[in-house]
Amino acid sequence: MEDNLAKVKISDIAEKAGVSAGTVDRVIHNRGEVAEKTRQKVLAIVREMNYEPDILASTLASKKSYRFVSLTPRADAANPFWASPTEGLKQAWQEIRHFGVSLDQYFFPYHDRAAFTSELDKIINNPPSGLILAPIFTEQTIQAMEKLTQMKIPVVFLNTLVEKQQNISFVGQAPVYSGMVVARLLEYGLHQDAQISIINLVSEKGGNTHILNREKGFREYFSSSAKSSAIQLNTINITSQDPLEFDSLLEKHIGIDDVKPKSHGIFVTNSKVFLVAEFLEKKGMKNFNLVGYDLLEQNQGFLRKGIIDFLISQQPHQQGYNSVITLFNALIMKKEIAKNQYLPIDIITKENIDFYLNN
Amino acid sequence: MEDNLAKVKISDIAEKAGVSAGTVDRVIHNRGEVAEKTRQKVLAIVREMNYEPDILASTLASKKSYRFVSLTPRADAANPFWASPTEGLKQAWQEIRHFGVSLDQYFFPYHDRAAFTSELDKIINNPPSGLILAPIFTEQTIQAMEKLTQMKIPVVFLNTLVEKQQNISFVGQAPVYSGMVVARLLEYGLHQDAQISIINLVSEKGGNTHILNREKGFREYFSSSAKSSAIQLNTINITSQDPLEFDSLLEKHIGIDDVKPKSHGIFVTNSKVFLVAEFLEKKGMKNFNLVGYDLLEQNQGFLRKGIIDFLISQQPHQQGYNSVITLFNALIMKKEIAKNQYLPIDIITKENIDFYLNN
DNA sequence: CTGAAAGCGCTTACAG
DNA sequence: CTGAAAGCGCTTACAG
């Protein structure tokens, strides 16, 4: 733990090797223009003396600068989720900007494929040192990744994973497992002959792999749970934006058993769970166990009221934060980077929510 | 976000103020020996030009060094919990050591009050720049804090809180709330006429404020829950280390109703929950909902087997990590520090545990 | 292929 | 009370 021995410096190595500091520097950074024999000699001494570069002095002297760019959905009323990752990006940047890092945040409207593409083009035309990308649209991402890889620009995928790409890392949640967690929570609170509705509230425009995987994990759990073989699952997909239609669809599917109230669970596969909570509240339907995703303001309210039982959170702020740190570790600290950085699947209740809100 | 304007340096200010860099430095760091008039002038320009010091250059030039010391229980077979915070301390140190920070970790055997005291004495006799302290023993802590405060050594409390002290911060969990979370989880899974046992597995030697507060939160929850007014709570305190006695005590309290199996919850108020799980497994008693604390190896096993239903985790690694960063922010970055840094109350199940193990 | 010198932005004695 | 100079450990042209 303790290093009593004074720090070894480049000048120490230079002296011992009988060369100049410049030569040692060339060896250490593999910049060539050094005789092989000299190189070996210096390398040996570097190892022998256990040299560790002073990163502060190094960045101060080198005057290198790094431009990090992020491309994420814009947070707005329809998409409050993205406010947190955006904040997380900024906060991490604040902590590392002394190392000559700048951060440009680019945005696109969540469902706007064209905007996504054109922002990506802009980025490619003014290449950054590293890119943090929320790869919402799969095809466009794959196309861009081809160019980015060629240009040797390291890319971190944020929140969404596109498989088989040359991204240096993915930072986000494992959606299949989060579905299993929800399954577990519903099973734990329901009778063994309960009925469960899986509700997908989606736009038709894609960007829904998350949701599919969450449902997949959820169903997997029940298909392998002996305990709950009598539980019935049915899926409801609602794409309509029209409130009236929404209500009647819900009523049709979950309202029916109201006469003979029976243990009934509802799994909303994304952050729109507050819409279902609103419906239940309006209709005075209390006999439901309701679980969904993300700590949006609206969801918080229903969680505190007890209409939503659990929310699954995916550490959105930390996702943004970790993405920046990942690029920093790769480019400035030259560390090895894990390809997948899965964040915890947090289970949130009325009782612990306050401890998750800043994070 | 973008700062196109070149960074403003001390020399820029010096030039504009018509003084030397040394004088600007004296003003910025309040080191006196500057005429009031000069001081005002420089200060005005500093503000006007929006000067932000280059922390890298500053630490490189100043050659200051900081000695951080931690005093925590030693992790051992009887106390595996403390391995994680210890690791967290080390990891944070790795990330900031470039700033001239060293870390000395001191330890004491968990229940050894004398060792705690004598280690504290050692620390006070060789004063560090800052101290991270797990204040297990309240009285001794209060005594030491008097001296430490006088010596102006900033102290961060780790994991345990002692009230009304001059510590700059506390990093840990809010035990009362964690008790409420457990109450919620048990209530959610039990019938309304269930019976719940609260089991405190403690040594008589003190250091148990945590446990008392967890039970307090737990009981508070039920005393204000209309829904579960029929639930019976009873507390069992077991101080014995003798396995036979342990078994017979448990049998007496929770074994009784086995004939007429009824919904039964068990809340173990600390990480020793695996002892109760062992007992239930051995006796083949399946009709229990069991919740306890911390991701010890032993607990993990029983969680995966389904004998423990939920574990509450308190981000032990992050606690250690954040403590070091707190001292760093206070001493090197000169930032404002929040007095209480509560970490999330994580709810862990078989399905999400893998995503919490590295943290 | 190699070395000497200047410089990154800030701090620290020292001389006056 | 103030300034000039040297130095922190590393990197970057430049000359040879």
Side-chain angles (χ1 to χ4, degrees):
Chain A
M1 199 78 327
E2 198 97 19
D3 42 339
N4 285 323
L5 338 143
K7 176 155 71 172
V8 2
K9 306 176 269 180
I10 282 202
S11 61
D12 298 328
I13 296 177
E15 190 180 0
K16 194 150 186 178
V19 298
S20 73
T23 299
V24 175
D25 192 74
R26 278 184 281 260
V27 171
I28 287 171
H29 294 93
N30 265 313
R31 303 208 238 99
E33 303 187 47
V34 179
E36 184 55 22
K37 202 176 142 195
T38 322
R39 201 174 142 266
Q40 291 304 341
K41 188 171 180 185
V42 169
L43 235 32
I45 296 177
V46 162
R47 274 193 279 267
E48 178 194 328
M49 300 185 78
N50 224 313
Y51 172 72
E52 292 182 53
D54 182 325
I55 181 85
L56 299 200
S58 168
T59 68
L60 180 61
S62 81
K63 303 214 61 187
K64 272 190 207 121
S65 66
Y66 301 84
R67 193 168 144 263
F68 289 7
V69 164
S70 66
L71 178 59
T72 59
R74 170 170 288 114
D76 56 24
N79 242 292
F81 174 83
W82 281 94
S84 285
T86 302
E87 274 306 307
L89 291 167
K90 232 186 278 183
Q91 197 199 315
W93 169 71
Q94 288 282 1
E95 293 181 12
I96 60 162
R97 62 206 203 78
H98 302 110
F99 290 88
V101 176
S102 68
L103 173 68
D104 281 2
Q105 299 187 291
Y106 287 62
F107 301 100
F108 61 95
Y110 193 81
H111 284 111
D112 191 337
R113 187 185 300 261
F116 178 78
T117 313
S118 72
E119 292 303 297
L120 264 177
D121 282 346
K122 275 191 218 163
I123 291 167
I124 287 170
N125 287 330
N126 179 194
S129 321
L131 173 62
I132 292 156
L133 178 63
I136 306 285
F137 299 101
T138 306
E139 283 171 52
Q140 283 70 21
T141 298
I142 293 175
Q143 281 173 27
M145 283 305 288
E146 220 168 288
K147 290 188 210 153
L148 290 160
T149 306
Q150 207 178 302
M151 298 164 82
K152 300 211 190 295
I153 296 174
V155 178
V156 173
F157 284 163
L158 171 57
N159 190 261
T160 305
L161 176 58
V162 176
E163 305 266 9
K164 304 198 180 159
Q165 299 303 304
Q166 298 295 318
N167 57 312
I168 63 166
S169 192
F170 159 69
V171 177
Q173 201 173 60
V176 174
Y177 286 89
S178 82
M180 291 189 182
V181 171
V182 176
R184 176 66 203 293
L185 291 171
L186 282 177
E187 182 191 59
Y188 178 76
L190 290 172
H191 301 167
Q192 281 169 251
D193 60 345
Q195 179 177 333
I196 295 180
S197 304
I198 303 164
I199 305 186
N200 299 315
L201 301 174
V202 294
S203 114
E204 38 294 70
K205 300 213 195 117
N208 297 329
T209 28
H210 267 53
I211 286 184
L212 297 176
N213 282 319
R214 287 166 177 176
E215 178 171 353
K216 186 173 156 219
F218 189 83
R219 287 187 171 272
E220 246 167 51
Y221 179 94
F222 280 108
S223 68
S224 65
S225 167
K227 183 176 155 201
S228 304
S229 51
I231 287 190
Q232 282 176 45
L233 306 181
N234 63 307
T235 298
I236 313 170
N237 295 305
I238 304 185
T239 56
S240 166
Q241 305 282 11
D242 172 38
L244 280 179
E245 206 178 330
F246 178 84
D247 279 16
S248 78
L249 269 169
L250 269 190
E251 186 114 37
K252 182 173 139 213
H253 283 94
I254 66 172
I256 278 172
D257 284 22
D258 222 18
V259 236
K260 177 211 164 211
K262 140 179 200 185
S263 168
H264 197 146
I266 300 178
F267 172 29
V268 181
T269 54
N270 65 8
S271 61
K272 309 285 188 204
V273 54
F274 64 91
L275 292 174
V276 176
E278 255 164 35
F279 172 84
L280 294 179
E281 187 179 46
K282 194 166 55 185
K283 303 282 176 183
M285 296 160 82
K286 309 220 162 188
N287 214 27
F288 290 81
N289 288 1
L290 178 58
V291 182
Y293 281 82
D294 298 331
L295 305 183
L296 311 189
E297 292 275 350
Q298 299 102 311
N299 291 344
Q300 288 177 37
F302 288 111
L303 186 73
R304 290 184 202 278
K305 279 191 208 169
I307 295 177
I308 294 175
D309 288 278
F310 296 99
L311 287 169
I312 301 300
S313 183
Q314 43 178 328
Q315 308 212 345
H317 185 274
Q318 197 69 30
Q319 288 186 21
Y321 186 93
N322 289 4
S323 307
V324 168
I325 299 299
T326 298
L327 235 34
F328 173 71
N329 280 335
L331 290 172
I332 290 106
M333 303 301 277
K334 317 279 186 205
K335 286 193 196 166
E336 290 283 304
I337 305 297
K339 177 95 186 191
N340 288 300
Q341 302 185 58
Y342 292 115
L343 289 169
I345 298 168
D346 288 328
I347 301 172
I348 315 295
T349 72
K350 190 165 49 175
E351 289 74 23
N352 70 359
I353 184 170
D354 287 330
F355 302 99
Y356 288 89
L357 291 181
N358 312 320
N359 125 89
Chain B
M1 199 80 324
E2 198 98 19
D3 40 339
N4 286 322
L5 337 141
K7 175 155 74 172
V8 1
K9 306 176 269 181
I10 282 202
S11 60
D12 298 328
I13 296 176
E15 191 180 359
K16 194 151 184 177
V19 298
S20 74
T23 299
V24 176
D25 192 74
R26 279 184 280 260
V27 171
I28 288 170
H29 294 94
N30 265 312
R31 304 207 237 97
E33 303 187 48
V34 178
E36 184 56 22
K37 203 176 142 195
T38 321
R39 200 174 142 266
Q40 291 303 341
K41 188 172 180 184
V42 169
L43 237 30
I45 296 177
V46 162
R47 274 193 278 267
E48 179 195 326
M49 301 185 78
N50 225 312
Y51 171 72
E52 293 182 54
D54 181 324
I55 182 86
L56 300 200
S58 168
T59 69
L60 180 61
S62 81
K63 305 216 61 189
K64 270 190 208 125
S65 67
Y66 301 84
R67 193 168 144 263
F68 288 7
V69 164
S70 66
L71 177 58
T72 59
R74 170 170 287 116
D76 56 24
N79 243 291
F81 174 83
W82 280 94
S84 285
T86 302
E87 275 306 307
L89 291 167
K90 232 186 277 185
Q91 196 199 317
W93 169 71
Q94 287 283 1
E95 292 181 13
I96 60 162
R97 62 205 205 76
H98 303 111
F99 290 87
V101 177
S102 68
L103 173 68
D104 282 1
Q105 299 187 290
Y106 288 62
F107 300 99
F108 60 95
Y110 192 82
H111 284 110
D112 191 338
R113 187 183 300 260
F116 178 79
T117 312
S118 73
E119 293 302 296
L120 263 178
D121 282 348
K122 275 190 217 163
I123 291 166
I124 288 170
N125 287 330
N126 178 194
S129 321
L131 173 62
I132 292 156
L133 178 65
I136 306 285
F137 299 101
T138 306
E139 283 172 53
Q140 282 70 19
T141 299
I142 293 175
Q143 281 174 27
M145 283 304 289
E146 220 168 288
K147 289 187 209 153
L148 289 161
T149 306
Q150 207 178 302
M151 299 163 82
K152 301 210 190 295
I153 296 174
V155 178
V156 174
F157 285 163
L158 170 57
N159 190 262
T160 305
L161 176 58
V162 176
E163 305 265 9
K164 303 197 181 159
Q165 300 302 304
Q166 298 295 317
N167 57 313
I168 62 166
S169 192
F170 159 69
V171 176
Q173 202 173 59
V176 173
Y177 287 89
S178 82
M180 291 188 182
V181 171
V182 176
R184 176 67 203 292
L185 291 171
L186 282 177
E187 181 190 60
Y188 178 77
L190 291 171
H191 301 167
Q192 280 170 252
D193 60 345
Q195 180 177 331
I196 294 179
S197 305
I198 303 163
I199 305 186
N200 298 315
L201 301 174
V202 294
S203 114
E204 39 296 66
K205 301 213 195 114
N208 298 329
T209 28
H210 267 53
I211 287 184
L212 297 177
N213 282 319
R214 288 167 177 176
E215 177 171 353
K216 185 174 157 218
F218 189 83
R219 288 186 171 272
E220 246 167 51
Y221 179 94
F222 280 107
S223 68
S224 65
S225 167
K227 182 176 156 201
S228 304
S229 52
I231 286 190
Q232 283 177 45
L233 305 180
N234 64 307
T235 297
I236 313 170
N237 295 305
I238 305 186
T239 56
S240 166
Q241 306 283 10
D242 172 38
L244 280 181
E245 205 178 331
F246 178 83
D247 279 17
S248 78
L249 269 170
L250 269 190
E251 187 114 37
K252 183 174 138 213
H253 283 94
I254 67 174
I256 278 171
D257 285 22
D258 222 19
V259 236
K260 176 210 164 211
K262 140 178 199 185
S263 167
H264 197 146
I266 301 178
F267 172 31
V268 181
T269 54
N270 65 8
S271 60
K272 309 284 188 207
V273 55
F274 63 91
L275 292 174
V276 176
E278 255 163 35
F279 172 85
L280 294 179
E281 186 179 47
K282 195 166 55 186
K283 302 282 177 183
M285 295 160 84
K286 309 220 162 189
N287 214 27
F288 290 81
N289 289 1
L290 177 58
V291 183
Y293 282 83
D294 298 331
L295 304 184
L296 311 190
E297 291 276 350
Q298 299 102 311
N299 291 344
Q300 288 178 37
F302 288 110
L303 186 73
R304 290 186 202 276
K305 281 192 207 168
I307 295 177
I308 294 175
D309 289 278
F310 296 98
L311 287 169
I312 301 300
S313 183
Q314 42 179 329
Q315 307 211 346
H317 185 275
Q318 197 70 29
Q319 288 186 22
Y321 185 94
N322 289 4
S323 308
V324 169
I325 298 299
T326 298
L327 235 34
F328 173 72
N329 281 336
L331 290 171
I332 290 106
M333 302 300 277
K334 316 279 186 203
K335 285 192 195 166
E336 290 283 303
I337 305 297
K339 178 98 186 191
N340 288 300
Q341 302 185 59
Y342 292 115
L343 288 168
I345 298 168
D346 289 327
I347 300 172
I348 316 296
T349 72
K350 190 164 50 174
E351 290 73 23
N352 70 358
I353 184 171
D354 287 330
F355 302 99
Y356 287 89
L357 291 181
N358 313 319
N359 125 86

